[in-house]
Amino acid sequence: QVQLVDSGGGLVQAGGSLRLSCAASGRTLSSYVVGWFRQVPGKEREFVAATSWSGSKIYYVDSVKGRFTISRDNAKNTAWLQMNSLKSEDTAVYYCAAVASIFVPQEAYKYDHWGQGTQVTVSS
């Protein structure tokens, strides 16, 4: 079992940047696809980005393309989500997630390991 701890959220003005971290323990993260999701109250958890175990396959939701970058360092057992040019609509609780899979799913239900979430608030 892998345990995930995500961090790095906070309050930032529109146009600013934040870098979220997802630290894994228990097992090496190199065996897992890593995804980032976000959720606002009353809405379903939304896919943001995901990377294959090697980092060779990366996917983003259209609304963050060109602004967010997902990355990982398997030697450090850590993944990141660099968020630039933040907008008020990016405000949400962000979760990292992992699944042992040869595919890179974009559906939250396909991930079986989750961090506790970190709040990102973008003020306009």
Side-chain angles (χ1 to χ4, degrees):
Q1 287 280 44
V2 64
Q3 290 82 44
L4 304 176
V5 176
D6 35 39
S7 62
L11 173 64
V12 64
Q13 288 188 333
S17 299
L18 283 173
R19 189 191 197 200
L20 306 184
S21 298
C22 177
S25 62
R27 293 193 67 177
T28 175
L29 197 59
S30 61
S31 303
Y32 294 84
V33 167
V34 174
W36 285 94
F37 292 79
R38 63 188 180 187
Q39 189 169 26
V40 297
K43 291 192 175 182
E44 292 188 357
R45 199 162 290 190
E46 176 191 27
F47 170 79
V48 176
T51 173
S52 60
W53 68 269
S54 66
S56 62
K57 296 180 180 179
I58 290 177
Y59 302 93
Y60 298 97
V61 68
D62 286 348
S63 60
V64 308
K65 285 180 181 176
R67 301 189 297 122
F68 291 12
T69 303
I70 188 172
S71 61
R72 65 189 298 163
D73 185 334
N74 290 334
K76 295 182 178 179
N77 246 18
T78 304
W80 298 272
L81 184 68
Q82 177 68 42
M83 306 186 297
N84 298 329
S85 302
L86 283 161
K87 305 175 181 180
S88 57
E89 51 263 44
D90 295 319
T91 295
V93 178
Y94 284 70
Y95 299 88
C96 68
V99 61
S101 173
I102 61 172
F103 303 106
V104 184
Q106 299 184 19
E107 298 87 354
Y109 76 88
K110 293 184 178 178
Y111 288 78
D112 48 15
H113 303 281
W114 290 86
Q116 80 286 0
T118 184
Q119 176 71 48
V120 171
T121 303
V122 184
S123 63
S124 56

